[in-house]
PDB file of all heavy atoms in Angstrom:
ATOM      1  N   LEU O   1       0.811  -1.208  -0.014  1.00  0.00           N
ATOM      2  CA  LEU O   1      -0.078  -0.095  -0.054  1.00  0.00           C
ATOM      3  C   LEU O   1       0.875   1.263   0.030  1.00  0.00           C
ATOM      4  O   LEU O   1       0.566   2.240  -0.713  1.00  0.00           O
ATOM      5  CB  LEU O   1      -0.923   0.099   1.290  1.00  0.00           C
ATOM      6  CG  LEU O   1      -2.096  -1.059   1.272  1.00  0.00           C
ATOM      7  CD1 LEU O   1      -2.818  -0.858   2.570  1.00  0.00           C
ATOM      8  CD2 LEU O   1      -3.089  -0.740   0.023  1.00  0.00           C
ATOM      9  N   ILE O   2       1.886   1.401   0.865  1.00  0.00           N
ATOM     10  CA  ILE O   2       2.661   2.398   0.913  1.00  0.00           C
ATOM     11  C   ILE O   2       3.378   2.722  -0.411  1.00  0.00           C
ATOM     12  O   ILE O   2       3.574   3.812  -0.883  1.00  0.00           O
ATOM     13  CB  ILE O   2       3.663   2.304   2.138  1.00  0.00           C
ATOM     14  CG1 ILE O   2       3.034   2.335   3.445  1.00  0.00           C
ATOM     15  CG2 ILE O   2       4.698   3.424   2.082  1.00  0.00           C
ATOM     16  CD1 ILE O   2       3.873   1.954   4.639  1.00  0.00           C
ATOM     17  N   PHE O   3       4.082   1.493  -0.984  1.00  0.00           N
ATOM     18  CA  PHE O   3       4.751   1.753  -2.180  1.00  0.00           C
ATOM     19  C   PHE O   3       3.844   2.288  -3.331  1.00  0.00           C
ATOM     20  O   PHE O   3       4.260   3.209  -4.020  1.00  0.00           O
ATOM     21  CB  PHE O   3       5.231   0.362  -2.576  1.00  0.00           C
ATOM     22  CG  PHE O   3       5.961   0.327  -3.971  1.00  0.00           C
ATOM     23  CD1 PHE O   3       7.134   0.960  -4.245  1.00  0.00           C
ATOM     24  CD2 PHE O   3       5.254  -0.500  -4.875  1.00  0.00           C
ATOM     25  CE1 PHE O   3       7.688   0.775  -5.459  1.00  0.00           C
ATOM     26  CE2 PHE O   3       5.894  -0.488  -6.228  1.00  0.00           C
ATOM     27  CZ  PHE O   3       7.089   0.173  -6.425  1.00  0.00           C
ATOM     28  N   ILE O   4       2.565   1.813  -3.430  1.00  0.00           N
ATOM     29  CA  ILE O   4       1.685   2.134  -4.545  1.00  0.00           C
ATOM     30  C   ILE O   4       1.267   3.554  -4.385  1.00  0.00           C
ATOM     31  O   ILE O   4       1.279   4.438  -5.291  1.00  0.00           O
ATOM     32  CB  ILE O   4       0.623   1.133  -4.756  1.00  0.00           C
ATOM     33  CG1 ILE O   4       1.068  -0.139  -5.143  1.00  0.00           C
ATOM     34  CG2 ILE O   4      -0.411   1.555  -5.739  1.00  0.00           C
ATOM     35  CD1 ILE O   4       1.756  -0.179  -6.436  1.00  0.00           C
ATOM     36  N   ILE O   5       0.689   3.875  -3.126  1.00  0.00           N
ATOM     37  CA  ILE O   5       0.073   5.062  -2.955  1.00  0.00           C
ATOM     38  C   ILE O   5       1.031   6.206  -2.928  1.00  0.00           C
ATOM     39  O   ILE O   5       0.712   7.419  -3.300  1.00  0.00           O
ATOM     40  CB  ILE O   5      -0.694   5.036  -1.564  1.00  0.00           C
ATOM     41  CG1 ILE O   5      -1.872   4.055  -1.672  1.00  0.00           C
ATOM     42  CG2 ILE O   5      -1.461   6.307  -1.369  1.00  0.00           C
ATOM     43  CD1 ILE O   5      -2.637   3.790  -0.307  1.00  0.00           C
ATOM     44  N   SER O   6       2.347   6.003  -2.633  1.00  0.00           N
ATOM     45  CA  SER O   6       3.312   6.953  -2.512  1.00  0.00           C
ATOM     46  C   SER O   6       3.564   7.604  -3.898  1.00  0.00           C
ATOM     47  O   SER O   6       4.093   8.819  -4.065  1.00  0.00           O
ATOM     48  CB  SER O   6       4.713   6.389  -2.095  1.00  0.00           C
ATOM     49  OG  SER O   6       5.274   5.524  -3.065  1.00  0.00           O
ATOM     50  N   PHE O   7       3.117   7.004  -4.948  1.00  0.00           N
ATOM     51  CA  PHE O   7       3.259   7.557  -6.367  1.00  0.00           C
ATOM     52  C   PHE O   7       2.153   8.545  -6.725  1.00  0.00           C
ATOM     53  O   PHE O   7       2.190   9.067  -7.878  1.00  0.00           O
ATOM     54  CB  PHE O   7       3.354   6.496  -7.461  1.00  0.00           C
ATOM     55  CG  PHE O   7       4.491   5.603  -7.404  1.00  0.00           C
ATOM     56  CD1 PHE O   7       4.477   4.338  -6.919  1.00  0.00           C
ATOM     57  CD2 PHE O   7       5.776   6.127  -7.862  1.00  0.00           C
ATOM     58  CE1 PHE O   7       5.789   3.526  -6.857  1.00  0.00           C
ATOM     59  CE2 PHE O   7       6.962   5.358  -7.843  1.00  0.00           C
ATOM     60  CZ  PHE O   7       6.876   4.089  -7.287  1.00  0.00           C
ATOM     61  N   THR O   8       1.194   8.803  -5.904  1.00  0.00           N
ATOM     62  CA  THR O   8       0.086   9.609  -5.962  1.00  0.00           C
ATOM     63  C   THR O   8       0.236  10.996  -5.262  1.00  0.00           C
ATOM     64  O   THR O   8      -0.864  11.635  -5.165  1.00  0.00           O
ATOM     65  CB  THR O   8      -1.196   8.870  -5.752  1.00  0.00           C
ATOM     66  OG1 THR O   8      -1.304   8.611  -4.258  1.00  0.00           O
ATOM     67  CG2 THR O   8      -1.342   7.617  -6.448  1.00  0.00           C
ATOM     68  N   LEU O   9       1.332  11.265  -4.789  1.00  0.00           N
ATOM     69  CA  LEU O   9       1.441  12.441  -3.877  1.00  0.00           C
ATOM     70  C   LEU O   9       1.826  13.779  -4.744  1.00  0.00           C
ATOM     71  O   LEU O   9       2.358  14.720  -3.958  1.00  0.00           O
ATOM     72  CB  LEU O   9       2.618  12.197  -2.937  1.00  0.00           C
ATOM     73  CG  LEU O   9       2.173  11.034  -1.910  1.00  0.00           C
ATOM     74  CD1 LEU O   9       3.484  10.743  -1.007  1.00  0.00           C
ATOM     75  CD2 LEU O   9       1.018  11.131  -1.107  1.00  0.00           C
ATOM     76  N   SER O  10       1.577  13.791  -5.874  1.00  0.00           N
ATOM     77  CA  SER O  10       2.002  14.976  -6.695  1.00  0.00           C
ATOM     78  C   SER O  10       1.324  16.341  -6.159  1.00  0.00           C
ATOM     79  O   SER O  10       1.738  17.407  -6.453  1.00  0.00           O
ATOM     80  CB  SER O  10       1.678  14.806  -8.203  1.00  0.00           C
ATOM     81  OG  SER O  10       0.376  14.544  -8.271  1.00  0.00           O
ATOM     82  N   THR O  11       0.183  16.194  -5.424  1.00  0.00           N
ATOM     83  CA  THR O  11      -0.591  17.360  -5.005  1.00  0.00           C
ATOM     84  C   THR O  11      -0.047  17.799  -3.569  1.00  0.00           C
ATOM     85  O   THR O  11      -0.731  18.622  -2.929  1.00  0.00           O
ATOM     86  CB  THR O  11      -2.087  17.054  -4.982  1.00  0.00           C
ATOM     87  OG1 THR O  11      -2.362  15.946  -4.095  1.00  0.00           O
ATOM     88  CG2 THR O  11      -2.589  16.784  -6.385  1.00  0.00           C
ATOM     89  N   ALA O  12       0.888  17.107  -2.989  1.00  0.00           N
ATOM     90  CA  ALA O  12       1.172  17.339  -1.567  1.00  0.00           C
ATOM     91  C   ALA O  12       2.861  17.620  -1.502  1.00  0.00           C
ATOM     92  O   ALA O  12       3.392  16.707  -0.757  1.00  0.00           O
ATOM     93  CB  ALA O  12       0.909  16.184  -0.801  1.00  0.00           C
ATOM     94  N   PRO O  13       3.267  18.681  -1.995  1.00  0.00           N
ATOM     95  CA  PRO O  13       4.595  18.777  -1.902  1.00  0.00           C
ATOM     96  C   PRO O  13       5.204  19.214  -0.538  1.00  0.00           C
ATOM     97  O   PRO O  13       6.354  18.982  -0.283  1.00  0.00           O
ATOM     98  CB  PRO O  13       4.828  20.004  -2.872  1.00  0.00           C
ATOM     99  CG  PRO O  13       3.655  20.747  -3.013  1.00  0.00           C
ATOM    100  CD  PRO O  13       2.609  19.670  -2.764  1.00  0.00           C
ATOM    101  N   GLY O  14       4.296  19.753   0.317  1.00  0.00           N
ATOM    102  CA  GLY O  14       4.684  20.025   1.761  1.00  0.00           C
ATOM    103  C   GLY O  14       4.039  19.418   2.757  1.00  0.00           C
ATOM    104  O   GLY O  14       4.113  19.688   3.951  1.00  0.00           O
ATOM    105  N   SER O  15       3.274  18.199   2.434  1.00  0.00           N
ATOM    106  CA  SER O  15       2.643  17.570   3.536  1.00  0.00           C
ATOM    107  C   SER O  15       2.541  16.118   3.194  1.00  0.00           C
ATOM    108  O   SER O  15       1.647  15.404   3.522  1.00  0.00           O
ATOM    109  CB  SER O  15       1.266  18.026   3.869  1.00  0.00           C
ATOM    110  OG  SER O  15       0.474  18.129   2.624  1.00  0.00           O
ATOM    111  N   GLY O  16       3.547  15.565   2.460  1.00  0.00           N
ATOM    112  CA  GLY O  16       3.429  14.295   2.026  1.00  0.00           C
ATOM    113  C   GLY O  16       3.323  13.081   2.879  1.00  0.00           C
ATOM    114  O   GLY O  16       2.546  12.158   2.643  1.00  0.00           O
ATOM    115  N   VAL O  17       4.084  13.202   4.085  1.00  0.00           N
ATOM    116  CA  VAL O  17       4.046  11.995   4.974  1.00  0.00           C
ATOM    117  C   VAL O  17       2.550  12.005   5.582  1.00  0.00           C
ATOM    118  O   VAL O  17       1.981  10.868   5.677  1.00  0.00           O
ATOM    119  CB  VAL O  17       4.893  12.307   6.245  1.00  0.00           C
ATOM    120  CG1 VAL O  17       4.788  11.320   7.296  1.00  0.00           C
ATOM    121  CG2 VAL O  17       6.514  12.168   5.713  1.00  0.00           C
ATOM    122  N   LEU O  18       1.989  13.071   5.991  1.00  0.00           N
ATOM    123  CA  LEU O  18       0.669  13.055   6.486  1.00  0.00           C
ATOM    124  C   LEU O  18      -0.382  12.611   5.523  1.00  0.00           C
ATOM    125  O   LEU O  18      -1.250  11.783   5.986  1.00  0.00           O
ATOM    126  CB  LEU O  18       0.238  14.490   7.083  1.00  0.00           C
ATOM    127  CG  LEU O  18      -1.148  14.614   7.757  1.00  0.00           C
ATOM    128  CD1 LEU O  18      -1.193  13.719   9.027  1.00  0.00           C
ATOM    129  CD2 LEU O  18      -1.399  16.023   8.122  1.00  0.00           C
ATOM    130  N   VAL O  19      -0.370  13.122   4.420  1.00  0.00           N
ATOM    131  CA  VAL O  19      -1.296  12.639   3.346  1.00  0.00           C
ATOM    132  C   VAL O  19      -1.154  11.201   3.010  1.00  0.00           C
ATOM    133  O   VAL O  19      -2.095  10.455   2.846  1.00  0.00           O
ATOM    134  CB  VAL O  19      -1.051  13.513   2.125  1.00  0.00           C
ATOM    135  CG1 VAL O  19      -1.921  13.033   0.876  1.00  0.00           C
ATOM    136  CG2 VAL O  19      -1.370  15.060   2.362  1.00  0.00           C
ATOM    137  N   LEU O  20       0.008  10.697   2.955  1.00  0.00           N
ATOM    138  CA  LEU O  20       0.343   9.315   2.620  1.00  0.00           C
ATOM    139  C   LEU O  20      -0.162   8.329   3.690  1.00  0.00           C
ATOM    140  O   LEU O  20      -0.762   7.324   3.525  1.00  0.00           O
ATOM    141  CB  LEU O  20       1.787   9.041   2.303  1.00  0.00           C
ATOM    142  CG  LEU O  20       2.246   7.649   1.987  1.00  0.00           C
ATOM    143  CD1 LEU O  20       1.347   7.011   0.728  1.00  0.00           C
ATOM    144  CD2 LEU O  20       3.707   7.553   1.617  1.00  0.00           C
ATOM    145  N   LEU O  21       0.173   8.861   4.958  1.00  0.00           N
ATOM    146  CA  LEU O  21      -0.295   8.072   6.195  1.00  0.00           C
ATOM    147  C   LEU O  21      -1.812   8.085   6.154  1.00  0.00           C
ATOM    148  O   LEU O  21      -2.389   6.942   6.407  1.00  0.00           O
ATOM    149  CB  LEU O  21       0.240   8.685   7.383  1.00  0.00           C
ATOM    150  CG  LEU O  21       1.526   8.229   8.127  1.00  0.00           C
ATOM    151  CD1 LEU O  21       1.823   9.076   9.303  1.00  0.00           C
ATOM    152  CD2 LEU O  21       1.349   6.674   8.443  1.00  0.00           C
ATOM    153  N   THR O  22      -2.444   9.141   5.976  1.00  0.00           N
ATOM    154  CA  THR O  22      -3.935   9.112   5.914  1.00  0.00           C
ATOM    155  C   THR O  22      -4.451   8.254   4.841  1.00  0.00           C
ATOM    156  O   THR O  22      -5.531   7.365   5.134  1.00  0.00           O
ATOM    157  CB  THR O  22      -4.403  10.572   5.637  1.00  0.00           C
ATOM    158  OG1 THR O  22      -3.911  11.567   6.543  1.00  0.00           O
ATOM    159  CG2 THR O  22      -5.979  10.688   5.722  1.00  0.00           C
ATOM    160  N   ALA O  23      -3.945   8.222   3.621  1.00  0.00           N
ATOM    161  CA  ALA O  23      -4.445   7.365   2.628  1.00  0.00           C
ATOM    162  C   ALA O  23      -4.171   5.930   2.935  1.00  0.00           C
ATOM    163  O   ALA O  23      -5.059   5.102   2.659  1.00  0.00           O
ATOM    164  CB  ALA O  23      -3.754   7.776   1.283  1.00  0.00           C
ATOM    165  N   VAL O  24      -2.958   5.583   3.430  1.00  0.00           N
ATOM    166  CA  VAL O  24      -2.601   4.188   3.746  1.00  0.00           C
ATOM    167  C   VAL O  24      -3.647   3.675   4.863  1.00  0.00           C
ATOM    168  O   VAL O  24      -3.992   2.539   4.930  1.00  0.00           O
ATOM    169  CB  VAL O  24      -1.187   3.998   4.045  1.00  0.00           C
ATOM    170  CG1 VAL O  24      -0.890   2.604   4.558  1.00  0.00           C
ATOM    171  CG2 VAL O  24      -0.232   4.348   2.913  1.00  0.00           C
ATOM    172  N   CYS O  25      -3.832   4.502   5.930  1.00  0.00           N
ATOM    173  CA  CYS O  25      -4.677   4.078   7.091  1.00  0.00           C
ATOM    174  C   CYS O  25      -6.124   3.810   6.530  1.00  0.00           C
ATOM    175  O   CYS O  25      -6.761   2.873   6.899  1.00  0.00           O
ATOM    176  CB  CYS O  25      -4.710   5.230   8.051  1.00  0.00           C
ATOM    177  SG  CYS O  25      -3.134   5.300   9.069  1.00  0.00           S
ATOM    178  N   ALA O  26      -6.565   4.621   5.650  1.00  0.00           N
ATOM    179  CA  ALA O  26      -7.971   4.477   5.093  1.00  0.00           C
ATOM    180  C   ALA O  26      -7.992   3.255   4.294  1.00  0.00           C
ATOM    181  O   ALA O  26      -8.989   2.490   4.306  1.00  0.00           O
ATOM    182  CB  ALA O  26      -8.307   5.690   4.216  1.00  0.00           C
ATOM    183  N   ALA O  27      -6.911   2.979   3.501  1.00  0.00           N
ATOM    184  CA  ALA O  27      -6.995   1.682   2.621  1.00  0.00           C
ATOM    185  C   ALA O  27      -6.798   0.462   3.430  1.00  0.00           C
ATOM    186  O   ALA O  27      -7.376  -0.551   3.122  1.00  0.00           O
ATOM    187  CB  ALA O  27      -5.847   1.748   1.552  1.00  0.00           C
ATOM    188  N   TYR O  28      -5.994   0.545   4.508  1.00  0.00           N
ATOM    189  CA  TYR O  28      -5.647  -0.525   5.430  1.00  0.00           C
ATOM    190  C   TYR O  28      -6.948  -0.953   6.200  1.00  0.00           C
ATOM    191  O   TYR O  28      -7.201  -2.125   6.484  1.00  0.00           O
ATOM    192  CB  TYR O  28      -4.486  -0.281   6.281  1.00  0.00           C
ATOM    193  CG  TYR O  28      -4.032  -1.505   7.111  1.00  0.00           C
ATOM    194  CD1 TYR O  28      -3.167  -2.297   6.444  1.00  0.00           C
ATOM    195  CD2 TYR O  28      -4.411  -1.715   8.362  1.00  0.00           C
ATOM    196  CE1 TYR O  28      -2.599  -3.468   7.204  1.00  0.00           C
ATOM    197  CE2 TYR O  28      -3.945  -2.703   9.075  1.00  0.00           C
ATOM    198  CZ  TYR O  28      -3.088  -3.629   8.495  1.00  0.00           C
ATOM    199  OH  TYR O  28      -2.612  -4.682   9.101  1.00  0.00           O
ATOM    200  N   GLY O  29      -7.784   0.081   6.584  1.00  0.00           N
ATOM    201  CA  GLY O  29      -8.893  -0.196   7.512  1.00  0.00           C
ATOM    202  C   GLY O  29      -8.592  -0.751   8.795  1.00  0.00           C
ATOM    203  O   GLY O  29      -7.667  -0.468   9.445  1.00  0.00           O
ATOM    204  N   SER O  30      -9.407  -1.834   9.243  1.00  0.00           N
ATOM    205  CA  SER O  30      -9.191  -2.528  10.465  1.00  0.00           C
ATOM    206  C   SER O  30      -9.352  -1.609  11.584  1.00  0.00           C
ATOM    207  O   SER O  30      -8.699  -1.833  12.755  1.00  0.00           O
ATOM    208  CB  SER O  30      -7.887  -3.234  10.505  1.00  0.00           C
ATOM    209  OG  SER O  30      -7.809  -4.115   9.394  1.00  0.00           O
ATOM    210  N   GLY O  31     -10.087  -0.501  11.640  1.00  0.00           N
ATOM    211  CA  GLY O  31     -10.219   0.401  12.747  1.00  0.00           C
ATOM    212  C   GLY O  31      -9.226   1.262  12.979  1.00  0.00           C
ATOM    213  O   GLY O  31      -9.235   1.990  14.189  1.00  0.00           O
ATOM    214  N   ILE O  32      -8.205   1.420  12.148  1.00  0.00           N
ATOM    215  CA  ILE O  32      -7.135   2.366  12.407  1.00  0.00           C
ATOM    216  C   ILE O  32      -7.156   3.639  11.394  1.00  0.00           C
ATOM    217  O   ILE O  32      -6.162   4.201  11.129  1.00  0.00           O
ATOM    218  CB  ILE O  32      -5.664   1.745  12.340  1.00  0.00           C
ATOM    219  CG1 ILE O  32      -5.467   1.122  10.960  1.00  0.00           C
ATOM    220  CG2 ILE O  32      -5.680   0.662  13.412  1.00  0.00           C
ATOM    221  CD1 ILE O  32      -4.201   0.628  10.606  1.00  0.00           C
ATOM    222  N   GLU O  33      -8.358   3.797  10.845  1.00  0.00           N
ATOM    223  CA  GLU O  33      -8.466   5.016   9.942  1.00  0.00           C
ATOM    224  C   GLU O  33      -7.930   6.277  10.351  1.00  0.00           C
ATOM    225  O   GLU O  33      -7.442   7.218   9.637  1.00  0.00           O
ATOM    226  CB  GLU O  33      -9.864   5.061   9.377  1.00  0.00           C
ATOM    227  CG  GLU O  33     -10.426   3.860   8.580  1.00  0.00           C
ATOM    228  CD  GLU O  33     -10.850   2.769   9.313  1.00  0.00           C
ATOM    229  OE1 GLU O  33     -10.695   2.797  10.588  1.00  0.00           O
ATOM    230  OE2 GLU O  33     -11.246   1.735   8.795  1.00  0.00           O
ATOM    231  N   ASP O  34      -7.964   6.527  11.701  1.00  0.00           N
ATOM    232  CA  ASP O  34      -7.472   7.847  12.227  1.00  0.00           C
ATOM    233  C   ASP O  34      -6.330   7.677  13.002  1.00  0.00           C
ATOM    234  O   ASP O  34      -5.829   8.597  13.808  1.00  0.00           O
ATOM    235  CB  ASP O  34      -8.660   8.377  13.369  1.00  0.00           C
ATOM    236  CG  ASP O  34     -10.013   8.720  12.616  1.00  0.00           C
ATOM    237  OD1 ASP O  34      -9.942   8.918  11.405  1.00  0.00           O
ATOM    238  OD2 ASP O  34     -10.998   8.704  13.295  1.00  0.00           O
ATOM    239  N   GLY O  35      -5.481   6.562  12.861  1.00  0.00           N
ATOM    240  CA  GLY O  35      -4.255   6.267  13.534  1.00  0.00           C
ATOM    241  C   GLY O  35      -3.220   7.410  13.244  1.00  0.00           C
ATOM    242  O   GLY O  35      -2.375   7.616  14.092  1.00  0.00           O
ATOM    243  N   PHE O  36      -3.230   8.022  12.003  1.00  0.00           N
ATOM    244  CA  PHE O  36      -2.202   9.095  11.693  1.00  0.00           C
ATOM    245  C   PHE O  36      -2.261  10.196  12.705  1.00  0.00           C
ATOM    246  O   PHE O  36      -1.225  10.924  12.808  1.00  0.00           O
ATOM    247  CB  PHE O  36      -2.446   9.483  10.372  1.00  0.00           C
ATOM    248  CG  PHE O  36      -3.831  10.306  10.153  1.00  0.00           C
ATOM    249  CD1 PHE O  36      -3.872  11.579  10.292  1.00  0.00           C
ATOM    250  CD2 PHE O  36      -4.900   9.579   9.828  1.00  0.00           C
ATOM    251  CE1 PHE O  36      -5.091  12.234  10.223  1.00  0.00           C
ATOM    252  CE2 PHE O  36      -6.109  10.294   9.552  1.00  0.00           C
ATOM    253  CZ  PHE O  36      -6.183  11.582   9.846  1.00  0.00           C
TER     254      PHE O  36
END
């Protein structure tokens, strides 16, 4: 998930980690959607 979604961060030059964490948490599910 991290590897694939990391290629979609072109709109987040100054907040990449938070945006990627948010997207990975949402895709992973299992009750950790707000873990970031």
